[in-house]
Amino acid sequence: MRRSRVLEKLRAGLPVSSIKLNLDNARVAELAAMAGADCLWLDLEHVAADWAVLEAQIYAAKVYDVDVMVRVARGSYSDYIRPLELDAAGIMVPHVMSLEDARAVVRQTRFQPLGRRPLDGGNADGAYAQVGAKEYTAFANQNRFLMLQIEDPEPLPELAAIAALPGVDILFFGPGDFSHALGVPGDFSHPDLVDAKRRVAAAARA
């Protein structure tokens, strides 16, 4: 099973580089991986990607030891765990609205003792059942990352608790939708947006 390059660098206090792709093509993913980024960001929220193409993109990135993070569509636990079972190194969950919402995401995407993610192990992330369940679940909890996207005003009062939640690795501030929520779409210099961005960064650092 493959360790996450993103997590290893973050835990060592090193910066991480990522390239976002809105093109559902494995060759484009391979070219991006060859460019030297640590992670490719693929999208299922705003891109009508085919699952077979997504799988090919993940394989193309892994050839160059590059992580893939998939921004998932908000939906059932299946929408969250399928990219992980294809061996994506992490997922980003958009529009996390509260501490309760964040806890539900952790419960659906982390194995015990952090959550109750449904257990299979027979896919790429579990080496196609070539390792035992205990090794698989412990490895996944340690080497697959969960990123929560803060892009609405609602979760701001609970930012500290969301950031401290066991099983959450990264907070990502989404300025586009936050500006939309404020009624000033595209105004990334709005004082309320700048303040929210700083608050997210402070919560993550703490």
Side-chain angles (χ1 to χ4, degrees):
M1 295 182 288
R2 181 183 169 276
R3 300 176 69 87
S4 166
R5 183 165 159 175
V6 167
L7 286 176
E8 288 190 342
K9 293 190 75 171
L10 289 179
R11 288 167 180 164
L14 299 173
V16 172
S17 61
S18 178
I19 297 175
K20 184 176 189 294
L21 299 180
N22 274 23
L23 301 171
D24 56 342
N25 183 286
R27 293 180 183 179
V28 173
E30 182 178 20
L31 286 168
M34 290 171 66
D38 298 306
C39 181
L40 304 186
W41 168 0
L42 308 181
D43 205 313
L44 290 177
E45 183 191 18
H46 294 291
V47 179
D50 180 270
W51 284 101
V53 175
L54 182 71
E55 180 179 34
Q57 289 179 298
I58 293 171
Y59 287 165
K62 289 198 299 181
V63 168
Y64 298 91
D65 192 32
V66 171
D67 282 4
V68 167
M69 177 193 68
V70 178
R71 178 162 59 182
V72 297
R74 288 306 304 251
S76 71
Y77 74 83
S78 296
D79 296 299
Y80 300 162
I81 67 171
R82 281 175 185 157
L84 296 172
E85 292 183 339
L86 291 175
D87 213 19
I91 61 170
M92 175 197 290
V93 179
H95 291 288
V96 173
M97 302 298 281
S98 66
L99 176 60
E100 181 182 357
D101 191 12
R103 283 183 175 139
V105 172
V106 170
R107 180 178 175 85
Q108 292 173 316
T109 58
R110 294 297 196 180
F111 292 119
Q112 287 276 20
L114 297 174
R116 295 283 296 277
R117 172 182 163 183
L119 177 62
D120 189 314
N123 297 302
D125 68 320
Y128 301 103
Q130 294 187 74
V131 297
K134 287 184 178 180
E135 181 183 356
Y136 164 53
T137 55
F139 185 90
N141 277 352
Q142 181 67 15
N143 292 281
R144 297 295 174 260
F145 60 88
L146 174 60
M147 181 186 297
L148 302 183
Q149 194 163 7
I150 306 298
E151 49 188 341
D152 301 276
E154 286 85 349
L156 295 184
E158 298 181 300
L159 271 180
I162 292 170
L165 194 62
V168 173
D169 298 294
I170 304 168
L171 298 183
F172 184 96
F173 180 69
D177 277 333
F178 200 95
S179 71
H180 183 216
L182 293 177
V184 289
D187 183 359
F188 300 150
S189 62
H190 191 281
D192 290 346
L193 185 145
V194 173
D195 177 66
K197 180 168 61 174
R198 289 174 174 160
R199 290 171 65 182
V200 171
R205 280 195 297 268

